[in-house]
Amino acid sequence: MGTVTRGTTNPNRLRRVDRFIAALPVLRKTETPIVVDLGFGASPITAVELLSRLSKVNPATHVVGIEIERERVERGLAVATDHLHFTHGGFEVPLPPGLGKVTGTGTGTGTGTGTGTGTGTGTGTGNATIIRAFNVLRQYDEAEVADAWSRMQSRLSENGILVEGTCDEIGRLSTWVTLDSEKPLSLTISVRLSGLDVPSKVAERLPKALIHHNVPGERIHDFLQAFDAAWRNNAGLSAFGAAQRWVTCCNELVADGWPLIGDKKRWRLGELTVEWAAVAP
């Protein structure tokens, strides 16, 4: 389900969102996480990098690269491993059959003389622990976003997370929406702080659900304007480094009532997360 995108990708382009995913509690708490790189593009490099980064947090992680263009899937299969898989598909998020395997054993006793033991195995389609869909919906119409979100959300495990967003060609400006199986939870902005002019520079890389709403009267516009104002207010802190200026801006936004999620540890990375309700169209 979906259409073929341009497939543009570069090594290390998705490092910021990968770092965010690696910190998600569900990755650590799930015994064998299944993480999907949906629409990995013309090269499988983003899926390879994703597995490398997440396996450091949970060595049992499996990454599945999914593409609607069969030729791209073939390129992925050439580098597949026991924990790195590639398959053909779209927003319906198919998983390789082996990743849906269920195994179990059981014993039982009765009031009489009989006892019984049993073992069983089975296969199924399984559900994804985390789905990362980056630079995919950017190439769709905004009217198609809700349906695409819904289809991907339906393929999440009980505590699964969908991360949908976009970034520039070399990964210095990134934004994404984090969703659970029912609703959007937050918007995250992650940027390279060195050389940053104003935070609203990310407006050109907002997710499709927001990019056309950065106009007066919309919440996302108000938020970016407030962020720019805080950035200007703390220009004097540049002497202590861009990270210190960013952290102070985040504290100012909190003081002004913006519902930020996370703490200084994330802020120092040039990352900021705000509740979805505060920026939703």
Side-chain angles (χ1 to χ4, degrees), residues 53-264:
R53 289 161 179 155
L54 300 190
S55 61
K56 295 175 183 177
V57 177
N58 189 333
T61 300
H62 287 259
V63 167
V64 181
I66 299 177
E67 252 295 343
I68 202 166
E69 173 59 63
R70 291 185 180 275
E71 184 178 351
R72 297 172 184 173
V73 177
E74 293 299 322
R75 294 181 196 136
L77 290 172
V79 297
T81 67
D82 290 344
H83 283 255
L84 181 61
H85 318 267
F86 293 89
T87 193
H88 178 247
F91 294 126
E92 74 279 12
V93 191
L95 298 179
L99 291 186
K101 183 178 291 185
V102 177
T103 62
T105 61
T107 61
T109 60
T111 56
T113 58
T115 62
T117 62
T119 62
T121 62
T123 60
T125 57
N127 289 319
T129 311
I130 300 168
I131 299 173
R132 183 189 70 185
F134 238 69
N135 300 310
V136 175
L137 286 177
R138 179 177 176 82
Q139 300 176 44
Y140 285 72
D141 291 333
E142 184 183 349
E144 299 175 277
V145 171
D147 184 61
W149 277 1
S150 179
R151 290 185 184 279
M152 290 186 285
Q153 286 172 291
S154 72
R155 297 293 291 118
L156 291 172
S157 60
E158 182 179 358
N159 298 309
I161 292 294
L162 166 63
V163 179
E164 187 274 307
T166 187
C167 66
D168 65 357
E169 286 74 11
I170 55 177
R172 292 185 175 181
L173 297 173
S174 298
T175 67
W176 57 84
V177 182
T178 301
L179 308 92
D180 61 16
S181 60
E182 298 180 352
K183 61 187 181 302
L185 303 175
S186 61
L187 170 72
T188 298
I189 293 171
S190 182
V191 302
R192 182 176 183 267
L193 292 174
S194 178
L196 179 66
D197 183 15
V198 289
S200 63
K201 177 68 174 176
V202 301
E204 64 195 49
R205 297 293 172 174
L206 286 171
K208 177 60 71 171
L210 292 175
I211 195 167
H212 300 301
H213 295 273
N214 185 32
V215 294
E218 292 275 6
R219 294 186 183 96
I220 183 60
H221 181 268
D222 293 343
F223 177 71
L224 291 179
Q225 291 298 304
F227 204 173
D228 281 355
W231 187 252
R232 290 191 295 269
N233 292 343
N234 293 284
L237 292 177
S238 297
F240 301 99
Q244 183 60 46
R245 184 180 181 184
W246 182 274
V247 169
T248 305
C249 287
C250 292
N251 282 322
E252 183 172 320
L253 289 171
V254 172
D256 289 342
W258 290 99
L260 301 193
I261 302 170
D263 53 25
K264 292 182 180 179

Side-chain angles (χ1 to χ4, degrees), residues 20-30 57-58 129-130 159 161:
F20 176 85
I21 291 172
L24 291 174
V26 69
L27 183 70
R28 289 181 169 86
K29 294 179 179 179
T30 303
V57 177
N58 189 333
T129 311
I130 300 168
N159 298 309
I161 292 294

